[in-house]
Amino acid sequence: MSRRFDAVLVAACALALAFLALPLAAVFLRVSPVELFAQLGNPAAVDALLVSLKTSLIASGLVLCVGTPAAYLLATRRFRGRAVALTLIELPLVLPPAVAGIALLAAFGRRGLLGGTLDALGVSIPFTQAAVVLAVVLVASPFYLRAAIAAFESVDTGLLEASRTLGASPARTFRRVALPLAAPGLGAGATLAFARGLGEFGATIMFAGSLQGRTQTLPLMIYAQLDRDFDVALAVGALLVLVSLAVLLAVKLLPSWTRFTSISPSRSAPSTSL
Amino acid sequence: MDTLHLDLTVPLRAFDLALALEVGDEPVALAGPSGAGKTTALRAVAGLTAGARGRVAAGDEIWLDTDAGIDRPPEQRSVGFVFQDYALFPHLTVEQNVGFADRGRAGELLERLGIAHLASARPGSLSGGERQRVALARALARAPRVLLLDEPTAALDAHTRAAVRVELHDLLRELRLPALLVTHSFEEAAALAGRVGVLVGGKLVQLGAPADLVARPADPFVASFTGGNLIPGIASRREGGLTEIVLETGGFLYSTDGLEGRVGVVVHPWEVSVAREPPGDSTLNHVRAPIVAMTPAGNRVRIRVGPLVAELTAASAERLGLEPGVVAVASFKATAARLVPLA
């Protein structure tokens, strides 16, 4: 009885692994690695790589600069509407990318909510690199915010209080105690958000279009090259698989590099977890 | 040297903490059961408790004055706070922890507390006693006007605790700082502080030298907290300056205290003698009962006879042939039987 059940479990597990690994293996098995990376010299691929790197870095910078203090507030203060704010942050995680794209158009587009105001200022966002950045921020920031809130919540409030009684202002306490102690979690969250942003497709293509050298990121370039040159598309795909793998390993290894032996257990339970 | 004045009210979940106290050159301990508001009082002095009302001042510096609209944030109250779990920064070395408030004084304080050799260690690798010293050094680095200690030895094992108490006692007297400490143990309060305030349910039920609390407990809690036996009964005056107490369990006792009505008879274990037969002296109070338990403590043994705990030297307990199950007589003088009113 138990042996038959074990066989079912093993079979299900093997099927799942095979299904998940097969497409990834196919990317590398169809063409040899050397040949694949030779295709990366293709001008469209180079352009897409540059656009992707530039927009992802800018978006990551924005997410870190605004998201870190926002997460600290949400993690350390209790106020009315906090639960609503936490839910709002997680909404983009479950939002279909196409909806995110159309929502961005509805907000920042020519005839959108802020369209008139932006027009008056002589700013037009859709189909520019700024649009790519906004789309990436929208879909990637929840990954960072969730991780950052959890990281700050796991910092013992007793340590923050100790810092205050030692004469440190709230700002200095944030800088010298909360930030370094939350750093491993923040790093993991930033890495995940960066990876999610790099792969962004749906919202970008609707809001920013796919103009080579301007708004065509790596995933958009794969889509554009699909009919033209399958091998170039595959080469870029392989590149993204390697980047994703590196990100995953970094997230799994990062906390163990920098973990401190904490003396006192955390007093607040995390409200979100990865 | 400054004096710490406090006159505080802090609303807590079940009751209000109300505490008026002055701390000068003699360390004061707030002692009492868990949940009595002891830690809240310390936190209110440091500015870590929202909702504290009243007045807190260190010398001429006013930290809290609700009427005048003053409520300084923690960083502007010059306190050295030693937390119960020490709250050392795990990402900083011992030297960086101590130098957190003032880098200039770290070296001197590490020397003074005998932890200079640990300067580059992280808190995670230290023993309990070492952490305690680092926490103290860190609190002192700010050159605080007031020292606050929350259960300073509760996180230590029994062996380290005794040593740390001795060090802490001497240090508190050397520092010449108003020191307020909190503990759930009367033993610790008596070992460290010149005056002990017993806090129960947010109220200071008695404040005095440890010996005063032992000799003249103001209330049943103080009596049992200081280690006394507490036996309930009904008291009424008799001639000759004696009070007779009829016990709830039957029998009666005599006291020289003049109190009537429902009372608790308080007697300390070292005032009770135990023998097989009543002694032939002037001792008035005798309780005859089987010995329930005998617990050795050093060269002494604590013997439970019916409702009483007595403390004898192990040698005399053996000489008298006392052992569990044996019927014995526990005796104490009427002058040793203090009365406290019972609700």
Side-chain angles (χ1 to χ4, degrees), chain A residues 156 158-170 172-173 175-178 180-181 260-265 267, chain B residues 43 46 48 73-75 77 79 81 83 85 87-92 96 100-101 103 122-124 131 138-139 142:
Chain A
D156 182 0
L159 297 176
L160 305 180
E161 290 178 345
S163 162
R164 300 287 302 279
T165 66
L166 292 166
S169 65
R172 185 160 185 264
T173 298
R175 233 174 27 246
R176 296 230 18 219
V177 182
L181 287 174
F260 308 107
T261 338
S262 185
I263 294 168
S264 37
R267 248 173 258 175
Chain B
R43 294 173 55 86
L48 294 172
E75 62 270 24
R77 302 182 183 203
V79 298
F81 201 128
F83 291 83
D85 55 9
L88 300 178
F89 302 124
H91 59 299
L92 302 179
Q96 289 166 332
F100 190 86
R103 213 168 297 164
R122 292 217 193 257
R131 284 178 193 173
R138 186 180 69 172
R142 197 188 175 182

